[in-house]
Amino acid sequence: MDRYPPIADHGLVGDLQTAALVSSQGVVDWFAAPRFDSPSVFAALLDHDRGGYFLFAPEEQNTTCKQLYYPDTAVLVTRFMSPDGVGEIFDCMPPDCAGTPTARHVLMRGARAVRGTVRFTLACCPRFDYGRATHRLDLRDSTATFRAPNVTAHLQSTFPLHADGRDVRGAVTLRPGEVAAAVFTVDGPGGDTPLPPTPERVMERFWDVVDFWQRWVRSSRYHGRWPGVVHRSAITLKLLTYAPTGAPVAAATMGLPEQIGGERNWDYRYTWVRDGSLSVRALLDLGFAEEAAQFTHWLGDRLQAREGADGEPLQIMYRVDGDPELPEEVLTHLEGYRGSYPVRAGNAAADQLQLDIYGEALYALSEGREIAVGGSYHGWKNLARTLDWLADSWDRPDEGVWETRGGRQDFTFSRVMVWVAFDRGLRLATEHSRPADAPRWTAARDTILEQVMERAWNKKEQALVQHYGSDVLDASLLLIPRVGFLAPRTMSWLSTLDAMERTLVSDSLVYRYDPTASPDGLHGCEGTFSLCTFLYVDALARAGRIRPARYAFEKMQTYANHVGLFAEEIGPSGEQLGNFPQAFTHLSLIMAATTLDDALDRQRD
């Protein structure tokens, strides 16, 4: 077991309320329960000694490890090959589609010998509350119960277990075709002990999980050129969505660094208005209308509640249940992934002012207008009230889309997306024949366009820049042609795209911006941002630059990990950095693929 395997050396399993990472060595080194944003149960990825882990793998050390997903599912298979035998571990979590939050969550781990005789070993070492809480162990035969404050966990296996201090270990020898299982169940403090597993019962549930995911993928209407990567991204987005509310988290993890050893280590287990809103069009393009509708209703609830700080109708992120409180704390007892400290739980960026979120929210409701909460009278009144407020409040500096901590600026992207808010609001009012202060909204929209083109245009760069008065390029502006602020083949946009290619693009990979030229209040640097690379592909395709767009898209697939997952960033040696997997990256992959498919189809016609 490596102390810190590469971030990309993992697959993701989940039950639509929480998720776990499993390394290619058969180690669960990240798992929080009962929700994505709950304290961790296993967190060896953030501290090998204090975080806790769950290993289930062959005893033989000299093995070749391979990982794959069972086709069109979220069932992860880890294969171990050696001259003496071949064994497999399959990991899955039975999805809970009841639509209500549950305290009980089940991680099923099965072992099978494929060839030869394979001896599997198990080590279950939970560390509750990010490793801060102690627990009591009660072991009876093949059932271990771990009792900690506010949580109980059970480990049940089809083979004997023994205590090792407060941890549990075991081993089983399997011949070809034989199956063993270890089932880890997290529950509330008074949860009943589950029924003990049998190989037959575990395999039955395994096939139920396979059937669930394959049925879901079959409902996709994507028939383009990249079904494998698009459907893997769709499954990943589904895994990262909290089923009781329809709110997607930005990533399954917290604290994984954007620079190894650096301080850019954030908690991404929350729902960003921006990410979720941009997912609506992608979900609808794939035919997943139910998921898109559920998020738009979640978003409508936030507008109705008007929960933002300082009188703002929205804040930039929330917990998956809509709770706006996300206080940030440093977990001083954790060393961080490979010494990347501090490890933060919670996210103080929730209190930032980011005006672009209003544009993304209206974009979502407009793109999904047939399912939008704005289609109802009361939903529309909330939208109209928000836009009336925004007409008086848009012309302010903010922290910007990248959540910089270097002070507020007049960020161009924020202005562009506020333009989108008024533009889409006017469209919705017209299409649904709803009452609106159209002259006021129109005046605000037109003023913003003129202001951006006059104050954000840099004559030297011949491009729109990051914020007024700067000469720094910013990849967030790659969304401009998608949202319609500028047509994708106008000279001003093509010139901006050329400037980005000179400054931000490295072998088709795209940086967000240059922090040395535009200080963001943090030390260190970061890798290329995978979201921005896919936005670059999208913008190239819209600009008619189809050949480089397709090549960039294909090259980007070489940076995916072995099971098709992407973290937030790509490092200088092609390694994945940041929280993993990142929903925004997989969302933008779907966006790029569908745009590129359409462009290639038109070219063929």
Side-chain angles (χ1 to χ4, degrees), residues 259-312:
Q259 179 186 27
I260 302 298
E263 65 172 327
R264 299 167 185 258
N265 319 311
W266 314 111
D267 191 346
Y268 275 16
R269 301 171 300 151
Y270 307 111
T271 301
W272 269 252
V273 168
R274 177 185 310 112
D275 303 28
S277 295
L278 290 175
S279 73
V280 170
R281 182 70 263 160
L283 290 168
L284 289 173
D285 285 343
L286 298 185
F288 298 123
E290 181 179 343
E291 287 78 5
Q294 196 176 13
F295 175 76
T296 60
H297 284 90
W298 181 91
L299 180 60
D301 289 343
R302 305 285 73 71
L303 285 169
Q304 183 175 4
R306 301 179 72 84
E307 294 166 325
D310 301 324
E312 304 287 328

Side-chain angles (χ1 to χ4, degrees), residues 207-290:
W207 289 116
D208 287 344
V209 176
V210 168
D211 289 342
F212 168 86
W213 285 106
Q214 291 185 340
R215 282 196 305 270
W216 185 78
V217 171
R218 282 197 297 271
S219 69
S220 168
R221 67 183 184 201
Y222 179 79
H223 301 292
R225 293 164 177 82
W226 299 280
V229 297
V230 167
H231 287 150
R232 179 52 52 199
S233 290
I235 290 170
T236 304
L237 290 179
K238 179 79 167 174
L239 278 172
L240 294 175
T241 299
Y242 185 65
T245 63
V249 295
T253 60
M254 55 175 274
L256 295 181
E258 297 173 12
Q259 179 186 27
I260 302 298
E263 65 172 327
R264 299 167 185 258
N265 319 311
W266 314 111
D267 191 346
Y268 275 16
R269 301 171 300 151
Y270 307 111
T271 301
W272 269 252
V273 168
R274 177 185 310 112
D275 303 28
S277 295
L278 290 175
S279 73
V280 170
R281 182 70 263 160
L283 290 168
L284 289 173
D285 285 343
L286 298 185
F288 298 123
E290 181 179 343

Side-chain angles (χ1 to χ4, degrees), residues 369-560:
R369 51 191 171 274
E370 66 271 23
I371 56 171
V373 66
S376 69
Y377 174 75
H378 294 293
W380 172 256
K381 292 295 287 185
N382 287 325
L383 287 180
R385 182 175 60 173
T386 299
L387 287 172
D388 288 341
W389 170 88
L390 192 61
D392 294 326
S393 307
W394 66 265
D395 197 7
R396 293 176 289 164
D398 66 356
E399 275 88 2
V401 61
W402 303 129
E403 298 165 13
T404 60
R405 302 191 179 191
R408 294 181 177 180
Q409 299 283 354
D410 290 309
F411 283 104
T412 304
F413 181 76
S414 297
R415 296 297 200 276
V416 168
M417 294 310 295
V418 173
W419 176 92
V420 171
F422 290 115
D423 182 71
R424 298 315 195 269
L426 288 163
R427 292 189 196 181
L428 286 169
T430 300
E431 291 175 6
H432 292 278
S433 301
R434 292 291 186 255
D437 193 344
R440 187 180 180 198
W441 298 358
T442 301
R445 182 194 63 183
D446 296 347
T447 299
I448 294 166
L449 178 63
E450 292 176 353
Q451 185 190 91
V452 168
M453 296 309 296
E454 291 174 5
R455 297 183 62 190
W457 183 260
N458 184 287
K459 293 182 179 179
K460 176 183 175 183
E461 297 292 338
Q462 286 294 292
L464 293 169
V465 291
Q466 185 183 63
H467 59 79
Y468 297 168
S470 77
D471 57 3
V472 176
L473 279 298
D474 192 308
S476 64
L477 298 179
L478 288 165
L479 271 170
I480 279 178
R482 173 173 274 270
V483 299
F485 185 83
L486 293 176
R489 303 190 189 189
T490 59
M491 291 305 298
S492 55
W493 171 248
L494 293 176
S495 178
T496 298
L497 185 57
D498 289 339
M500 289 187 188
E501 288 176 339
R502 292 192 303 269
T503 306
L504 299 179
V505 179
S506 174
D507 190 31
S508 299
L509 300 175
V510 182
Y511 291 93
R512 294 190 295 180
Y513 56 91
D514 181 358
T516 62
S518 178
D520 55 14
L522 298 166
H523 297 292
C525 59
E526 61 183 21
T528 58
F529 215 68
S530 296
L531 156 71
C532 296
T533 300
F534 287 120
L535 294 182
Y536 174 58
V537 171
D538 190 276
L540 285 174
R542 291 174 185 274
R545 301 175 180 181
I546 299 174
R547 186 172 293 171
R550 185 170 190 176
Y551 187 44
F553 186 80
E554 296 286 2
K555 280 202 291 186
M556 189 58 183
Q557 305 311 313
T558 69
Y559 293 99

Side-chain angles (χ1 to χ4, degrees), residues 171-224:
V172 60
T173 300
L174 300 178
R175 296 176 179 82
E178 292 182 336
V179 174
V183 179
F184 187 82
T185 303
V186 176
D187 210 337
D192 297 331
T193 303
L195 291 173
T198 64
E200 295 75 20
R201 189 178 297 125
V202 168
M203 292 306 299
E204 181 180 354
R205 296 193 74 186
F206 164 80
W207 289 116
D208 287 344
V209 176
V210 168
D211 289 342
F212 168 86
W213 285 106
Q214 291 185 340
R215 282 196 305 270
W216 185 78
V217 171
R218 282 197 297 271
S219 69
S220 168
R221 67 183 184 201
Y222 179 79
H223 301 292

Side-chain angles (χ1 to χ4, degrees), residues 9-81:
D9 191 35
H10 293 85
L12 179 75
V13 298
D15 65 0
L16 310 184
Q17 294 192 27
T18 187
L21 294 187
V22 186
S23 78
S24 66
Q25 295 178 313
V27 180
V28 178
D29 51 17
W30 176 260
F31 178 49
R35 297 193 324 198
F36 295 104
D37 58 351
S38 297
S40 63
V41 178
F42 303 118
L45 203 54
L46 297 178
D47 193 307
H48 177 84
D49 298 320
R50 301 179 184 88
Y53 62 90
F54 182 7
L55 178 148
F56 196 17
E59 187 176 63
E60 169 63 45
Q61 298 295 306
N62 186 26
T63 60
T64 299
C65 306
K66 299 286 186 179
Q67 228 171 19
L68 71 154
Y69 278 110
Y70 198 89
D72 288 340
T73 75
V75 175
L76 189 67
V77 181
T78 307
R79 307 190 73 223
F80 303 88
M81 293 165 280

